[in-house]
Amino acid sequence: MSQIDRKKQVHSRSYDGPNPIRMSDRDWNIMISALSGEQKEVLNMLRQRAQCCTQMAVSGTRATAVTLEVAETAMEALLQKLAEMEVSFPLNGFALSGSYA
């Protein structure tokens, strides 16, 4: 899924940062560090689901429309939740998380 497609999927607000499923765990944890435990749990679950679905879609001998659709839906859910929580990628190691800081 291209970055343009990802941004189109999050309609009203958009997550403007690196692909969260390709980020290192360290960078991911820094990015969400200012959030509450419950918010982190939700985002970690969505990220793990998006990573697993994407891996299934690309690891087979050929991707099917169904596996690609599931991966796109999982990624959309993650990006939408990041946008709802106003999570931003940190600059210089400081976590930015909008109204949840």
Side-chain angles (χ1 to χ4, degrees):
M1 176 172 13
S2 72
Q3 184 163 340
I4 292 171
D5 292 337
R6 286 192 298 122
K7 288 190 177 191
K8 284 181 184 177
Q9 289 178 347
V10 181
H11 303 289
S12 61
R13 294 172 278 177
S14 65
Y15 165 74
D16 190 22
N19 185 332
I21 64 173
R22 292 185 178 185
M23 294 174 74
S24 70
D25 288 341
R26 179 185 173 278
D27 287 344
W28 172 258
N29 288 325
I30 289 171
M31 185 173 80
I32 66 171
S33 65
L35 300 175
S36 72
E38 184 178 319
Q39 292 168 324
K40 289 178 187 177
E41 187 176 323
V42 168
L43 286 175
N44 283 328
M45 180 202 61
L46 290 171
R47 181 178 182 236
Q48 183 177 12
R49 181 180 298 156
Q51 286 173 321
C52 290
C53 291
T54 300
Q55 185 62 34
M56 287 186 336
V58 299
S59 67
T61 55
R62 60 178 217 231
T64 67
V66 173
T67 58
L68 291 173
E69 181 67 27
V70 169
E72 287 179 12
T73 301
M75 185 65 163
E76 179 180 348
L78 173 59
L79 295 175
Q80 185 169 4
K81 187 56 79 174
L82 286 167
E84 286 173 14
M85 293 183 180
E86 299 178 10
V87 174
S88 299
F89 189 70
L91 301 172
N92 299 324
F94 294 104
L96 306 173
S97 59
S99 61
Y100 292 89

